[in-house]
Amino acid sequence: TCGVGGSVCADAGGTRLLLEWVQAAGLLLSAGSVPRLQPVVRVWDVERELCVSSIPISHSMPQAVASVSALCSDPSGCHMLAVGFSDGWLHVLDPRDSSRSASVAAIAAHTGPVSQVCLRSSGSTERLVTCSVGGSVNLFDLRRVPSVREVHRSTNITSLAGHLHQDVVAIGSRRQNVK
């Protein structure tokens, strides 16, 4: 199955590929999980059609258990990335960091799989909104990790979208309602 936007592709064996455009920087991000291999985020220069960076994610859980389930970048450039996992963990990365681990934070965000991530920065504020398969929507202030606030809970949540320039998110439900 494949989606559009923050696309997800999966085959029958559970191998996943997530894609995220970073339009302002001319980049495409890809993240994937292959059983028994370390998850990696790759940064592609779209104009040159070249992988310019590979960022390994040192996940604390065995890779056979946790797979990449969500991917998002800061829309103003490629200064921060957020990667959600099937075990509820969230990793925040700075791709500009040239060290082996670009991890800024590892957060136990949810008790179930992270289904969607929305990262926004405005001035000195970095905010992250996550949604889980279990139906919780959490807001994080990345200046004070771990700072979490559950802002919504419903078992009917199917989608989450964040505004590019404002601190506003929309939550969609199975009943086709938007909050």
Side-chain angles (χ1 to χ4, degrees):
T1 58
C2 292
V4 180
S7 298
V8 177
C9 297
D11 67 15
T15 302
R16 298 176 55 93
L17 174 65
L18 284 80
L19 301 171
E20 172 82 5
W21 284 108
V22 186
Q23 187 70 34
L27 301 173
L28 177 70
L29 306 176
S30 66
S33 292
V34 177
R36 295 175 298 284
L37 293 178
Q38 182 179 31
V40 173
V41 174
R42 288 196 169 78
V43 181
W44 297 86
D45 182 317
V46 177
E47 187 174 312
R48 294 188 298 163
E49 298 180 12
L50 182 69
C51 179
V52 294
S53 180
S54 290
I55 307 165
I57 305 168
S58 299
H59 194 58
S60 57
M61 298 296 288
Q63 282 72 34
V65 174
S67 61
V68 173
S69 59
L71 173 66
C72 184
S73 69
D74 175 3
S76 66
C78 195
H79 307 302
M80 295 288 251
L81 307 175
V83 182
F85 284 84
S86 61
D87 62 358
W89 277 82
L90 180 72
H91 286 260
V92 180
L93 310 170
D94 184 347
R96 300 169 298 176
D97 187 348
S98 60
S99 68
R100 179 93 175 118
S101 172
S103 182
V104 173
I107 305 165
H110 297 277
T111 56
V114 177
S115 60
Q116 291 171 312
V117 180
C118 181
L119 179 62
R120 297 294 174 257
S121 64
S122 56
S124 63
T125 304
E126 299 280 346
R127 291 195 180 109
L128 183 65
V129 180
T130 61
C131 181
S132 75
V133 170
S136 64
V137 177
N138 292 340
L139 172 67
F140 297 88
D141 181 345
L142 295 178
R143 296 172 301 168
R144 296 181 204 90
V145 172
S147 167
V148 62
R149 183 173 64 135
E150 185 175 82
V151 293
H152 187 74
R153 176 172 286 281
S154 170
T155 56
N156 289 319
I157 296 173
T158 58
S159 57
L160 172 79
H163 193 279
L164 285 176
H165 305 291
Q166 301 295 322
D167 288 335
V168 178
V169 294
I171 302 167
S173 74
R174 288 188 186 105
R175 296 184 189 120
Q176 297 184 352
N177 294 326
V178 177
K179 290 187 178 189

